[in-house]
Amino acid sequence: MHHPGPPRFATVGESVELAPRRPDPDMAAEWRLVERPAASTATLGDGSVCHLEPDAPGVYRAAVSTADETHEQVVRAFPSVTETVRFSVTADDFGHDGTLAVADRAIVIGKFNDFTMGTHWAERDGDEWVIEADLPPGTHHATFSFDGSFDATATDEVTVEGPGRPRVELTGETADGDLVVSADARAAPSGSAPGVEFHLDGRDALAESAVTIDGDELRVPGEALPETARIHAVAVAERHSVADTLVVEHDGGSGDMDGDGTVTVSRPADPPAWAADATIYEIFVRSFAGETVDATFEAIERRVPYIESLGVDAVWLTPVQASPTHHGYHITDFFDTAADLGTRAEFESLVERLHDAGIRVVFDLVINHSSRDHPAFQLHRAGVPEYADHYERVPASQDVSDIDWAGTDAPGRYFNWTRIPNLNYDSLAVRRWMLDVVDEWRDVVDGFRCDVAWGVSHGFWKEVRERVKAADPEFLLLDETVPRDADFAENEFDLHYDTDLFEALRDIGTGGAPASSLFEALDESVERGYPDRAGHMRYVDNHDEGRYLAACGAASLRAAVGATLTLPGTPMIYAGQERGVERQRGTMRWHDGDNALTDFHRRLVALRADQAPLRAPEVRPVSHSVETGETEAVVAYERSDGDETLVVVLHFGDGTATVSLETPVGDTDLLGGDSVTSDGTIQVDDVVVLPTGSR
């Protein structure tokens, strides 16, 4: 069945991609708009994949017809809550010489409603370079860069006042033979109390006439339940929430949820339970083995005992597919491993060895783009008809590179990434191709870290999720979405980059913000509308960022690492972080690494695994005073699982801070094993974890 999937939720002016699922490369599909709000003049174009841009709030219904099927896709559009803002910088902001002042345009890096990363120019207005965008409430950044290079950049920040997004969570049960679905709608910070909208799924045989809705409750008689029913809901106030979903499966019995279990209710958007308790270890594969050792799967496999000694639960490997680059993100063959790393069999041997050690493997899935040396792109640019629609095309006048591309147009891409053209997801052949890539690797590994997830359409990720979760509900999907976007939590990804905490920890480490600002960073997840059950990856380093150690120093690094491993979320350690590597993608320090720092990481990982409060979802600030040391370099918070409570104190400064806590705590630091109290105060070098109780 080529049904396009669940109802979609958007704002007015936001483009929604419509595409049949399970496409055959040669199939034809035709879309038509069968319903739209009275105030709308929206239309759909030709093509098997279409884009609907709602121009009025309300419900839109689009029908897609293939050779022997017709299905409907519902799009619910909500009012757009945006403000037109102006970003600007001057030559002085670049900290560069006056030669920049002669440039008429600067490329803008940011992700806004009407354009995306590194694809639009800011025009010069006198001494400024300026761009405008319509943005929702929140703090937004635009980075200006000349000639698409990252050598000279400047950033402007604009805050749009207004409420965040509400949130909603569904629960289901049977009562008196009926299915009862309840929605817990939660107001956004500074937002009004939301209402709830329920939506059925066009793939199911549940008739709207069988459903009764009363406020935040939906009820269906047991005899009206089909074999499968998917119930969706959104909370609606000034803005709308990320949708939540329940899947109800019914075998035709009485509807009793206990005993013989004739009705089961599941939550398809929730992360796998193991991910909340896991610690992830990222390996940059070509830098891991050492200075004089070839980086191969076999070489990494021989070092698994070290990985195992860290106590981590999952390893994320940077790309292992064929690629001409050191980092591996320029793929030339999606279906085979890189020759310099080893054979497919050797890769699978590494995976098996990690599995034997109780460690899951996360595969770096790169499907936004390919290398421009991929045969498909070469054939595309050389005018081979079968590949004409495999890559995005933009008018040559919009291209911001200095390349004289073959043909009359240019490939779509981001930033200055001229070597990795974007795949065209408006092509059914490409969608089929990339689904085949997903199928190729999903049974080999335990999860995907999805590179440039923000560049691939929501509709495609929703299909990928259903595809991999049908085979393995425990499969992990981690998005690289920068800046953060809660819409990728709507039946798409389990785990999300937390760039808010990452940036806050950098600001704290450089002295640009107080240690307490980490609480504001955590609050951003709620402000942005992430569901309570969404997973967040917390980290201080990754392969795309300069090392925290080099930027902030050793003392701050320990406290920052302590934050990622004692705050809610899924911590990630980037290989080398624990050995004192200072270069972003530098070679692993084996013979000359920092063993004390490695032991510090081991103890933190072990403590988090041993202490359930450190894996609990809530955190509460603890009042304290700093007797000696820098006040703004210290933060304290409480972690509790309901049965036991711990207090964590972090010190981002040099030396030892003397701290008084209002909360009574024990004498012994659970991390170091030593007594850290003296005369009613606590001595904190970097991280202290204490049980609550009398001193």
Side-chain angles (χ1 to χ4, degrees), residues 97 103 144 203 217 247 253 256 260 270-271 293 312 325 346 419 454 479 516 588 615 640:
D97 60 41
F144 295 69
R203 295 169 290 178
E217 183 179 281
V247 174
D256 184 10
D260 56 7
D270 286 358
V293 180
V312 298
T325 58
E346 289 168 336
R419 294 185 177 276
W454 45 266
D479 69 359
S516 60
M588 185 67 162
R615 306 190 305 275
S640 177

Side-chain angles (χ1 to χ4, degrees), residues 264-451:
T264 59
V265 179
S266 59
R267 299 183 45 80
D270 286 358
W274 67 265
D277 292 338
T279 297
I280 298 173
Y281 187 66
E282 182 195 358
I283 293 177
F284 191 85
V285 293
R286 288 179 174 85
S287 295
F288 188 68
E291 293 178 340
T292 61
V293 180
D294 290 337
T296 64
F297 300 131
E298 183 182 8
I300 297 172
E301 183 173 343
R302 293 174 65 185
R303 288 156 179 79
V304 169
Y306 169 76
I307 302 169
E308 190 175 7
S309 80
L310 295 174
V312 298
D313 305 281
V315 163
W316 154 26
L317 299 168
T318 54
V320 300
Q321 294 149 298
S323 172
T325 58
H326 182 69
H327 53 67
Y329 287 94
H330 298 188
I331 307 296
T332 54
D333 186 344
F334 289 100
F335 298 93
D336 201 2
T337 55
D340 64 310
L341 296 177
T343 66
R344 171 73 172 262
E346 289 168 336
F347 173 66
E348 293 188 11
S349 176
L350 168 60
V351 173
E352 183 178 359
R353 175 66 181 87
L354 287 163
H355 285 170
D356 288 344
I359 298 170
R360 289 180 164 91
V361 177
V362 178
F363 180 96
D364 214 318
L365 183 72
V366 184
I367 60 172
N368 172 75
H369 53 263
S370 78
S371 167
R372 74 182 187 199
D373 290 325
H374 194 290
F377 184 71
Q378 293 173 339
L379 297 173
H380 165 82
R381 276 289 129 185
V384 177
E386 293 86 350
Y387 293 86
D389 68 347
H390 275 45
Y391 291 83
E392 292 180 2
R393 296 177 182 269
V394 299
S397 60
Q398 292 183 15
D399 183 47
V400 296
S401 75
D402 57 2
I403 297 175
D404 183 13
W405 297 101
T408 59
D409 53 23
R413 60 181 176 82
Y414 298 117
F415 308 124
N416 60 342
W417 296 347
T418 58
R419 294 185 177 276
I420 45 174
N422 292 341
L423 293 162
N424 175 26
Y425 279 86
D426 285 356
S427 162
L428 292 185
V430 168
R431 298 174 84 90
R432 178 71 265 167
W433 181 21
M434 291 300 110
L435 288 172
D436 289 344
V437 173
V438 168
D439 291 347
E440 180 74 19
W441 299 103
R442 70 177 181 186
D443 295 331
V444 179
V445 295
D446 308 289
F448 292 146
R449 177 265 184 187
C450 297
D451 184 60

Side-chain angles (χ1 to χ4, degrees), residues 506-575:
R506 291 282 168 128
D507 289 342
I508 295 167
T510 57
S516 60
S517 64
L518 60 80
F519 298 126
E520 297 170 20
L522 295 176
D523 290 343
E524 279 295 313
S525 295
V526 175
E527 185 78 26
R528 294 178 187 275
Y530 279 96
D532 283 351
R533 294 172 181 258
H536 303 281
M537 186 175 77
R538 266 100 200 213
Y539 55 97
V540 299
D541 279 340
N542 67 47
H543 68 274
D544 282 326
E545 305 287 351
R547 292 281 189 175
Y548 193 99
L549 178 61
C552 306
S556 290
L557 172 64
R558 288 190 172 222
V561 172
T564 63
L565 281 149
T566 61
L567 288 170
T570 300
M572 188 273 283
I573 298 168
Y574 175 36

Side-chain angles (χ1 to χ4, degrees), residues 153-173:
T153 63
T155 299
D156 191 20
E157 177 183 295
V158 173
T159 296
V160 177
E161 299 297 334
R165 299 178 68 176
R167 293 167 295 145
V168 66
E169 183 170 312
L170 296 179
T171 56
E173 61 181 355

